[in-house]
Amino acid sequence: MKKTTEIIKINPKKFKKEQIEWLGQEIKNGKTVVFPTETVYGLGANALDEKAVVKIFQAKGRPSDNPLIIHIAKKKQLNQVAKKASRIAQRLMDKFWPGPLTLILKKKAQINLKVSGGLQTVAVRMPRNKIARELIIASKVPIAAPSANTSGRPSPTQATHAIEDLKGKVDYIIDAGKTQLGLESTVVDTTSKKVKILRHGTITEKEIEAVVGQTIGNNKREGKIHRSPGTRYKHYAPKCQMVIIKGPKNKVFQDIERRTKREEKQGRTVGIICFEKHSHCAQIVEFAGTGNKERGQNIFRILRNFDHKKTDIVFCEAIEEQGIGTAIMDRLKRAANNKIRTIR
Ligand code: AMP
Ligand code: MG
């Protein structure tokens, strides 16, 4: 059934608590609210209310075994959702909270298995975005919130993206402009001795290693990349086909030009994602920026744009998988369904 969705504009630099307080009450009462965080927009509901949590899965079309992240505003809320955190988890919280770090901890019994996708662990984050914080404080409950997009689509970095996907499916959408970082939080599992990164984000592997005092990269060397549950599902994808081209810069440029001409000859609309200002011949050329911070902010908006422009195929330059580049390439690879062509 179609819901009435109220869209509420809030100026992130100049807003009064009263503008948010009533929305906090609505969350507590079981309503769904899309709100900004520093990473992407989240679709929030009362994490302690099973019926409200079910609404999140329904609105997104999210598979029920893909767990949600619980958002808190204060450290003392942690014992409502998770059992005592390990010393390493404590150190990570002290260093990165509030901020774009999600920790996997052991679940408290009162957290419904619907929230944790059936797992005995729970994902927790303390966002630093002011609107998000005030909303959590006003609701007086921990807020379960995955990204506010239809399952499988690129994450929303501005309210218009959430409106596109969720209007008529949620109760409220806060419009506070663009999010600051544009990439989802780094997810770190601290429930076993060996700390694992389950999803890369703007807090990098090196930064995590510096705090936990152990190297994490060797997960990959062991031949198994640890992944969050749910990451096997189609993710971040534009509706069209996408191919990543990897190799020496000038060769990649030439290869993309060649592929573009070939596709356009067959009457297809081609899109290109580049990370340096090239004068490509394609109809749609999206420059994502030369620095990783800027690239992270732009990438999901660019992926959505290809849908708006009815693109048939996208060619994307690969970037170096280092620092935030690892997170960006992770999202791009999944958007491309791992279709990568390497030129030597
Ligand atoms: P989203 O909020 O849509 O970006 O998705 C939340 C992310 O957190 C997904 O990648 C989940 O798989 C991950 N996550 C949530 N809870 C857990 C958990 N208990 N264990 C491992 N990963 C989790
Ligand atoms: Mg998501």
Side-chain angles (χ1 to χ4, degrees):
M1 206 184 60
K2 220 171 146 94
K3 270 179 189 279
T4 312
T5 302
E6 199 178 321
I7 295 160
I8 299 145
K9 262 204 178 310
I10 292 180
N11 182 342
K13 293 205 184 92
K14 208 173 66 186
F15 70 92
K16 295 201 180 79
K17 278 186 186 173
E18 302 85 77
Q19 279 179 277
I20 299 199
E21 245 155 34
W22 69 280
L23 281 169
Q25 276 304 311
E26 287 292 79
I27 291 243
K28 191 171 185 195
N29 294 334
K31 297 279 172 60
T32 46
V33 180
V34 171
F35 63 97
T37 80
E38 66 273 26
T39 58
V40 301
Y41 275 77
L43 164 53
N46 181 350
L48 306 176
D49 177 345
E50 183 184 340
K51 276 196 192 137
V53 167
V54 169
K55 288 183 190 168
I56 293 179
F57 285 92
Q58 284 170 345
K60 282 185 59 103
R62 185 175 177 105
S64 61
D65 62 349
N66 190 359
L68 308 177
I69 295 174
I70 297 183
H71 294 67
I72 58 173
K74 305 218 161 114
K75 263 267 192 78
K76 65 172 192 258
Q77 281 185 297
L78 197 58
N79 56 31
Q80 276 187 289
V81 297
K83 290 185 183 157
K84 198 175 177 329
S86 67
R87 284 235 307 278
I88 281 185
Q90 283 293 350
R91 287 219 296 272
L92 287 167
M93 287 175 212
D94 291 344
K95 173 80 183 171
F96 297 112
W97 279 7
L101 175 75
T102 297
L103 290 173
I104 307 300
L105 303 166
K106 293 200 173 116
K107 185 180 87 63
K108 269 266 168 84
Q110 66 163 333
I111 296 297
N112 196 288
L113 286 168
K114 291 221 161 73
V115 176
S116 68
L119 300 168
Q120 290 304 327
T121 52
V122 71
V124 192
R125 174 162 112 79
M126 188 190 288
R128 69 163 178 245
N129 175 288
K130 280 213 179 94
I131 296 176
R133 287 180 66 77
E134 289 301 338
L135 184 70
I136 302 165
I137 292 169
S139 74
K140 299 192 174 73
V141 292
I143 297 181
S147 50
N149 52 280
T150 298
S151 198
R153 296 212 66 210
S155 294
T157 55
Q158 54 195 62
T160 51
H161 300 160
I163 293 169
E164 201 170 273
D165 285 9
L166 299 176
K167 193 168 175 220
K169 297 180 175 172
V170 298
D171 296 302
Y172 302 99
I173 297 177
I174 297 178
D175 182 350
K178 287 185 185 163
T179 61
Q180 188 201 353
L181 302 172
L183 291 172
E184 307 88 338
S185 58
T186 307
V187 179
V188 176
D189 186 354
T190 58
T191 56
S192 54
K193 253 198 190 146
K194 187 120 190 66
V195 172
K196 298 168 206 133
I197 295 183
L198 303 184
R199 176 174 75 187
H200 288 277
T202 48
I203 293 176
T204 62
E205 189 167 285
K206 272 216 174 94
E207 288 176 284
I208 303 285
E209 283 174 347
V211 175
V212 303
Q214 49 175 276
T215 44
I216 296 171
N218 56 4
N219 285 341
K220 287 170 213 151
R221 253 176 270 140
E222 284 165 11
K224 47 177 181 194
I225 298 170
H226 298 283
R227 278 264 181 231
S228 271
T231 44
R232 67 180 178 280
Y233 295 114
K234 191 178 154 217
H235 248 92
Y236 313 123
K239 287 171 183 148
C240 63
Q241 205 187 334
M242 178 165 151
V243 187
I244 297 173
I245 315 290
K246 204 172 174 174
K249 275 185 193 168
N250 58 336
K251 284 193 179 168
V252 167
F253 176 81
Q254 280 161 13
D255 188 71
I256 292 182
E257 288 290 284
R258 190 178 53 76
R259 285 170 189 268
T260 301
K261 283 178 192 146
R262 194 177 64 199
E263 294 294 332
E264 288 189 338
K265 229 183 214 166
Q266 291 171 29
R268 303 179 86 195
T269 306
V270 178
I272 289 175
I273 305 177
C274 55
F275 299 98
E276 269 171 59
K277 279 205 165 141
H278 294 307
S279 45
H280 273 295
C281 65
Q283 282 180 35
I284 309 158
V285 181
E286 294 278 9
F287 169 62
T290 45
N292 277 343
K293 232 178 108 187
E294 195 186 350
R295 293 166 174 174
Q297 289 163 342
N298 286 327
I299 208 72
F300 286 133
R301 178 183 52 76
I302 288 175
L303 290 174
R304 268 180 194 261
N305 253 342
F306 291 126
D307 288 346
H308 300 157
K309 294 187 175 158
K310 306 231 173 328
T311 317
D312 294 307
I313 185 160
V314 172
F315 298 118
C316 174
E317 291 176 358
I319 60 166
E320 211 182 327
E321 292 182 59
Q322 234 180 41
I324 300 173
T326 310
I328 297 169
M329 274 303 282
D330 167 68
R331 307 309 189 265
L332 289 173
K333 280 184 199 165
R334 286 199 264 159
N337 205 2
N338 257 323
K339 207 158 179 204
I340 306 168
R341 296 284 169 270
T342 306
I343 314 162
R344 311 221 177 258

